[in-house]
Each structure stands twice: as structure tokens, then as C-alpha cells.
Amino acid sequence: MISMNILLSIAFFSQTGIGVQGNLFLLYLFSFLFFTGQSLRPIDLILSQLALANSLVLLSKGFLQGLATLGLKNLLDDIGCKIVFYLHRVGRGLSLCITCLLSGFQAINISPQNSRFMKLKTRIPRYIMPSILLCWIFPMLQNITILEKLEGPRSIRNTSETNIYGYCSVNAATPISTSLHGVVFSLPDAVCMTFISFTSGYKVYLLHKHHKRVEQLHSDSFFPRSFPETRATQMILLLVSTFVTFYLLNSILTACMHSMTPRPWLLHSSALLASCFPMVSPFVLISSDSQILRYYKAVHGRKSSQPEK
């Protein structure tokens, strides 16, 4: 009979392998079209950064977590643990920030012509790159403070003074520093989640108004159809709702881990949930965004038409 640890390792490796392939496919697609001079939507730059953040989370978490469940916990020294954990935290923060940016971008993009967002709507393409740059800088600076608290398993001398996270550990902290750490890391997340919820609600409201308007205009010569803006908004709403669901579940488990002695099932469940959105995200995009399939056909057709040497 297969042991639970082997099943968990298979789950972690499968998550990592499937998710990385999906995200790398999107990165390859957007990069190929960009470097060959093909026209891309402004939103595609945001989606490419989301795919990059997801890949970073999966590679820095899932693979090593799978090895840890097999008992291979002493692979990293202090420096290796700091680098891997830092990359994971930066990837997680970047994923949250890019999702927030994506939700806000689409809310402004579908706003009515007579709304207060009209001036901002025309300038959005110029603001995308600076916004993405800020999304990278903030988590990189925010997570520098955690580096001094991390240790590799090889350095652990007194396990009663550390919390073990599979392949890394964190030094025990005083109640004051723990509270400060919680504020520094929880407050920005709460602000982003509030913004995502607000923009998602606004988009649902606009879609409802659009649906009501289409119903009023319905006649024998006019049939309701799904406009590109509507389909794009529905795709982003699906993506954002998936992110929020997994993020909240993971946050609940993380809070439980910090309020009690971490148990193996809590550690593994939290790690699995943390990798669910990065794994699912590219396939949500591929299946719901028809433009991505057109990009793939364009790339495939371009390669097929090239003469053999």
C-alpha cells in the first residue's frame, strides 16, 4: 500500500509539473509574439507577468515541498533556504499585486464613456509598465526582513525554538516582533484583497447593466451576443474569484499554523493550497480567453509556413 508521504510527494510534483508547463506555455507564447513584432493587447503584458509570478511560486515551493515529504529535508543550507524562501515570498506577493492590477485594469477598461475613469482609460497603456515595475519592487523590499529569521535544517540546534516549514525553519520571535511582522505582511494583503473585491463588484455591476440593456434592445433583427469586452471581463472575474478563493483558504490555514504548534497535515494542506492558483491560472486563461488560442494558431501557422532548410 502506498504511504501518505509518497502520495503527498506525487501531488506536489504533479502540481509543480503541470502548473509550470502551463505558465511557461503562456510566457513562450507572449514572448514569441512580442519579439516577432506581432501586436499584443495591453492586458497581455500583465498576464505574462502573472504567469512569471506563478512559475516562481511553483518552482520555489512545490518541488522542494515534495522532496520534504519524502524525508529529504536537509538539502539546503542557510543561504539556500534564504534564497528559495525569499523567491517564494516575492512570487506570492507579485502574484497578489499583479492580480490586483489586472482586476483594476479591466474595471477601468470596461467603464462607460461618460464615467469619471474616461481620462484614465485613455492613458492606461502608458501606466502598465510603471505599475508592473512597482509590483516587482514592493514584494522584493517587503520580504528582505524575513531573511535574517530563516535557517536551513542543517543549522537547527534546538527545535523547540523554531517552527519547521518542511525544508526551512524560522527563528522563534518575541510577541512584539511577531505582531509587527503580522502587520507588515497582512496589511498590504488586506488592502489588495479589498481593492480586488471592490473592482470585481464594480465589474459585476457593469455586466449586469450591459445584460439589461441588451435585453431591452432585443428584437427580431437584433440578437444578444457576447462582445469581446464582456468575454474578457468574465474571464478576469473567473480568474480573480479563483485567486481569492485559494488565497483566503490558504490564509486561514496559515493563521492556524501561527496560532498553534504546526502539525504535518496543516503544513502540507497550506503548501498544496498555496500552489493551487499558480497551477490552475494558466489553464483558466487558455480555456476562457479565445485570443490566446488565436495567438497559438498564429504562432503554429507561422512555424508551419517556414520553409525547411
Side-chain angles (χ1 to χ4, degrees), residues 16-307:
T16 303
I18 294 172
V20 167
Q21 288 185 59
N23 285 291
L24 289 183
F25 169 77
L26 291 180
L27 285 174
Y28 163 75
L29 194 61
F30 292 137
S31 299
F32 183 88
L33 292 171
F34 175 78
F35 287 113
T36 54
Q38 303 293 317
S39 59
L40 293 171
R41 302 168 297 175
I43 199 174
D44 291 334
L45 185 58
I46 302 177
L47 295 179
S48 66
Q49 295 302 303
L50 181 61
L52 182 59
N54 290 336
S55 300
L56 195 59
V57 171
L58 289 166
L59 291 173
S60 61
K61 185 72 172 179
F63 180 73
L64 288 173
Q65 198 72 40
L67 293 178
T69 57
L70 294 176
L72 302 175
K73 299 182 179 181
N74 297 323
L75 297 174
L76 300 175
D77 56 9
D78 284 352
I79 296 178
C81 188
K82 291 177 188 293
I83 293 174
V84 169
F85 199 84
Y86 178 74
L87 290 177
H88 171 70
R89 295 290 302 187
V90 169
R92 179 183 176 276
L94 180 62
S95 181
L96 174 61
C97 189
I98 292 295
T99 304
C100 187
L101 176 63
L102 181 64
S103 185
F105 169 84
Q106 191 64 14
I108 295 173
N109 194 44
I110 68 170
S111 59
Q113 299 294 330
N114 58 352
S115 70
R116 66 185 65 181
F117 297 119
M118 186 57 195
K119 290 183 179 179
L120 184 59
K121 188 175 182 178
T122 59
R123 300 174 184 173
I124 268 188
R126 289 182 290 173
Y127 294 153
I128 288 180
M129 277 302 297
S131 299
I132 289 176
L133 186 61
L134 288 176
C135 285
W136 272 96
I137 291 174
F138 180 74
M140 291 176 70
L141 295 177
Q142 182 191 28
N143 290 283
I144 287 178
T145 57
I146 68 173
L147 294 178
E148 62 179 350
K149 299 180 180 298
L150 290 171
E151 294 180 352
R154 299 178 187 178
S155 303
I156 297 175
R157 295 182 178 85
N158 187 356
T159 56
S160 64
E161 296 180 356
T162 58
N163 292 323
I164 308 302
Y165 291 92
Y167 50 87
C168 286
S169 63
V170 59
N171 291 331
T174 63
I176 295 177
S177 63
T178 301
S179 301
L180 181 61
H181 180 273
V183 171
V184 169
F185 285 92
S186 299
L187 184 59
D189 289 8
V191 171
C192 285
M193 293 299 291
T194 302
F195 180 79
I196 289 173
S197 301
F198 173 77
T199 52
S200 297
Y202 177 67
K203 285 180 286 187
V204 170
Y205 168 73
L206 291 179
L207 286 178
H208 177 70
K209 284 185 62 177
H210 171 74
H211 180 69
K212 296 284 286 186
R213 187 162 54 249
V214 168
E215 283 186 338
Q216 291 175 359
L217 295 173
H218 180 265
S219 64
D220 293 338
S221 59
F222 182 86
F223 296 93
R225 62 191 180 91
S226 181
F227 295 99
E229 295 83 0
T230 302
R231 293 197 301 269
T233 305
Q234 291 171 343
M235 177 269 293
I236 292 175
L237 280 173
L238 177 61
L239 189 70
V240 168
S241 61
T242 305
F243 176 84
V244 171
T245 300
F246 287 125
Y247 181 87
L248 290 178
L249 290 174
N250 183 52
S251 297
I252 292 171
L253 288 183
T254 302
C256 293
M257 286 168 52
H258 286 285
S259 62
M260 64 179 70
T261 302
R263 298 180 181 179
W265 70 269
L266 268 178
L267 296 174
H268 299 321
S269 299
S270 177
L272 283 169
L273 281 173
S275 300
C276 279
F277 176 76
M279 179 191 69
V280 172
S281 170
F283 301 103
V284 171
L285 290 172
I286 293 169
S287 62
S288 58
D289 189 353
S290 58
Q291 186 61 42
I292 291 179
L293 295 179
R294 294 192 189 101
Y295 287 159
Y296 173 74
K297 291 178 181 178
V299 171
H300 185 71
R302 184 186 180 93
K303 285 188 173 184
S304 300
S305 62
Q306 291 179 350

